[in-house]
Amino acid sequence: MNQMQITQPDDWHVHLRDGDMLNHVAPYTAKQFARAIVMPNLQPPVTTVKQAVEYVDRIVNAVGDSQFEPLMTLYLTDDTSAEEIILAEKSCFVKAVKLYPAGATTNSSAGVTDIRKCDDALAAMQEAGLPLLVHGEVTDPDIDVFDREKAFIDQVLMPLMNRFPRLKIVFEHITTADAVDFVLNTGLTIGATITPQHLLLNRNAMFKGGMRPHNYCLPVLKREQHRQALLHAATSGNRKFFLGTDSAPHSKDKKENSCGCAGIFSAHAAIEMYATAFEEQNALDKLEAFASFNGPDFYGLSRNTETITLERTPWQIPDSYPLAGGDTLIPMMSGETINWKLIK
Ligand code: NCD
Ligand code: ZN
């Protein structure tokens, strides 16, 4: 197969940032995807519908005359009220609420300290049918960083599901066989996104010939056996799994640092990287459902009607992209050759 046409995909988890960074990165997402679920972990975080409206304006401005539709999220805090959830549902453009356990990742310090403090908001979400998107890692420093997703399933997710059995939950950027099994063994209220880096890389990629900060993200890359489980899940055709890049740009300076930021920028070639992973499994025929159908079906939104075309044309990913003020952005697969190209 040298050309492939699929329904235009959506990105169900992306960081578009703000200010200059937003203006630089949003066009990459808008070129590939019809819609994207935009993460709210700005500084300050997007905790209210009013802030989300203002952020939408800045995103629309950043993508120029593109038809791209940003789908917004609110950042859940210990103080999020049921009233704010009702406002969000009525707004029609806020599509979900994001749970960051406080301290789990970039800009999560305002996140949730104890999920039980959010019961009013969660009850309102369950009633409104507004999904909860979870960063599924515990923050306990005594728990090994590679085990934090599994611990989150046992300590937070299972009790949460039992307390709110009708709450829709997306287990974001899953990284382990444990998460795959959990999603497979729960009801249709639970979906999961999978990133290109967790499909293409295992944890060796962080240490190949030296420290590789540009392959550091959270949840951190895992062992090969987990990557294999994710590949199987993504390409299985199971409708609970869908595309979410977690493209998370940080400038080169912030990555190559004595305390480097977590996050991998993948928006420049996201669908091409997913195609590469699906081809590794001989499952290109399953790409369209994962990238373009399962996400809108889970969220109860219509599927896109436009199509995109991918061609087998090797091209070299740039070493870096320029940012304002002389900064640069190092993309995933920087300088490497990729076999698929989005041509329209
Ligand atoms: C994200 C970021 O930089 O905002 N980083 C990451 O490694 N994925 C935050 C997140 O999604 O955890
Ligand atoms: Zn993220």
Coordinates of all heavy atoms in Angstrom, one line a residue, residues 13 15 39 98 173 246, ligand 2:
H13 N -6.0 14.6 22.9 CA -5.2 15.0 24.1 C -4.0 15.8 23.5 O -3.0 15.2 23.1 CB -4.7 13.9 24.9 CG -3.9 14.2 26.1 ND1 -4.1 13.7 27.4 CD2 -2.9 15.1 26.3 CE1 -3.3 14.2 28.2 NE2 -2.5 15.1 27.6
H15 N -1.4 19.5 24.2 CA -1.0 20.8 24.9 C -0.7 21.8 23.8 O 0.3 21.7 23.1 CB 0.2 20.5 25.8 CG -0.1 19.5 26.8 ND1 -0.5 19.8 28.1 CD2 0.0 18.1 26.8 CE1 -0.7 18.7 28.8 NE2 -0.4 17.7 28.0
M39 N -5.6 20.6 26.4 CA -5.3 20.5 27.9 C -5.3 21.9 28.5 O -4.9 22.9 27.9 CB -4.0 19.8 28.1 CG -4.0 18.3 27.8 SD -5.2 17.5 28.9 CE -6.3 16.8 27.7
K98 N -10.3 17.9 33.4 CA -9.0 17.1 33.5 C -8.6 17.0 35.0 O -8.5 18.0 35.7 CB -8.0 17.9 32.7 CG -6.6 17.2 32.8 CD -6.5 15.9 32.1 CE -5.2 15.2 32.3 NZ -4.2 15.2 31.3
H173 N -3.2 8.9 28.0 CA -1.8 8.4 27.7 C -1.4 7.2 28.5 O -0.5 7.2 29.3 CB -0.8 9.5 27.9 CG -1.0 10.4 29.1 ND1 -1.1 10.0 30.3 CD2 -1.1 11.8 29.2 CE1 -1.2 11.0 31.2 NE2 -1.2 12.1 30.5
D246 N -0.8 13.7 23.2 CA -0.1 14.3 24.4 C 1.1 15.1 23.9 O 2.1 15.2 24.6 CB 0.4 13.3 25.4 CG 0.7 13.9 26.7 OD1 0.4 15.1 27.0 OD2 1.4 13.2 27.5
Ligands
ZN2 ZN -0.7 15.7 28.5

